[in-house]
Amino acid sequence: MRAEVHQVADGTYLVHGNNVNWVILKDGDDLTLIDTGYPGDRPGILESLAAVGGSPEAVSAVLITHAHNDHLGSAEYLRSTYGTPIYLHPAEVPHARREFLHQATLGDVVRNVWRPGMLPWAAHVIKVGGMEHNPVTAPEPFPGEGALDLPGRPVPVHTPGHTDGHCVYHLPAAGIVISGDALVSGHAVSWTKGPQLLPGFFDHDRGRVVASLDLIAALEGDTLLPGHGPVHRGAVRAAAEQARDRATRKARTSKAS
């Protein structure tokens, strides 16, 4: 599968890989890469960098929303091959080193096999390296607070729940929120289209995922670039509220049944 590169604003690109997204921020010849897809997305990562007129050598840093294999895929490759620093929230650094793993298990997949597309999705995950041991040897916490001195000036916002150190990245001047898996617009195992939470079995702490929607809703913006699904245009606050409403309705339905 070829990576699909979509320019969503000046110097900002959402890239669709193998059922997962990453984001490229460009300032002149310099780039920031946010997330890196599955291990099997490496050709797509390189292709997408070239498509925006860049290269791996031009990547000033890789920012990771969270250290699941579908977002961490090529981080160690870029670090070890090109010396690219890999930055995460401090709580997510040991996760990236694989001192522990907060990720859906095989048992979780089996218990959710009734979901639409689950079996094809699981087979795809195996094919693109989603079950591989894929640590980053030397991940680093963010170098400072507030806007990072990197292309795009992204602002990390800690949104725990999906993992302990999950972060979204805010681009205040552009009105963009890069939301990782804290708020998505679609997924291969979901019937739902538009702003939503991932199915609960993907989350380490569902209660904190729902609480983190307040943090996302407080961010000024009208464009959402999720870790899964297409770009969402519209007030970020409204997207977060819609996801909360959907999650609440599903929780009530589950209790009733």
Side-chain angles (χ1 to χ4, degrees):
M1 176 180 173
R2 298 178 63 87
E4 297 180 11
V5 181
H6 300 273
Q7 184 169 4
V8 296
D10 186 28
T12 304
Y13 304 84
L14 179 67
V15 186
H16 299 305
N18 286 296
N19 286 340
V20 71
N21 302 331
W22 56 90
V23 174
I24 301 171
L25 306 178
K26 187 176 183 183
D27 184 357
D29 294 329
D30 300 321
L31 307 174
T32 300
L33 178 61
I34 300 180
D35 287 343
T36 65
Y38 285 98
D41 279 305
R42 186 176 303 167
I45 290 286
L46 301 177
E47 176 185 302
S48 64
L49 294 174
V52 304
S55 66
E57 293 88 346
V59 178
S60 300
V62 173
L63 304 179
I64 300 295
T65 58
H66 65 291
H68 284 165
N69 271 357
D70 56 335
H71 299 261
L72 200 68
S74 288
E76 177 62 16
Y77 165 76
L78 292 168
R79 189 204 67 81
S80 62
T81 305
Y82 300 99
T84 312
I86 311 298
Y87 295 129
L88 312 89
H89 187 274
E92 201 70 1
V93 168
H95 194 195
R97 287 196 297 256
R98 288 298 182 257
E99 295 177 15
F100 53 84
L101 184 60
H102 291 164
Q103 190 161 294
T105 66
L106 178 59
D108 292 324
V109 173
V110 171
R111 285 187 291 273
N112 285 271
V113 73
W114 56 270
R115 292 182 180 273
M118 177 60 77
L119 289 178
W121 172 81
H124 168 81
V125 166
I126 294 170
K127 181 179 179 180
V128 295
M131 302 302 292
E132 294 177 2
H133 182 63
N134 187 45
V136 177
T137 303
E140 303 175 53
F142 299 127
E145 298 181 359
L148 300 176
D149 188 17
L150 294 170
R153 300 284 293 170
V155 180
V157 179
H158 187 207
T159 49
H162 187 62
T163 64
D164 284 346
H166 187 290
C167 276
V168 306
Y169 296 94
H170 188 205
L171 310 180
I176 292 173
V177 174
I178 300 161
S179 58
D181 284 5
L183 175 58
V184 302
S185 62
H187 193 275
V189 302
S190 172
W191 279 297
T192 305
K193 304 297 181 185
Q196 61 189 280
L197 299 181
L198 288 173
F201 74 94
F202 285 121
D203 295 327
H204 179 61
D205 186 332
R206 186 66 163 190
R208 296 181 82 191
V209 170
V210 175
S212 285
L213 289 173
D214 288 339
L215 302 173
I216 296 173
L219 302 175
E220 293 293 330
D222 57 10
T223 303
L224 188 75
L225 306 185
H228 302 273
V231 58
H232 177 77
R233 303 282 189 178
V236 170
R237 173 179 293 277
E241 291 172 352
Q242 183 176 359
R244 183 196 305 280
D245 289 344
R246 285 173 161 170
T248 300
R249 288 197 301 271
K250 286 181 180 179
R252 288 172 179 167
T253 300
S254 296
K255 287 181 179 180
S257 61

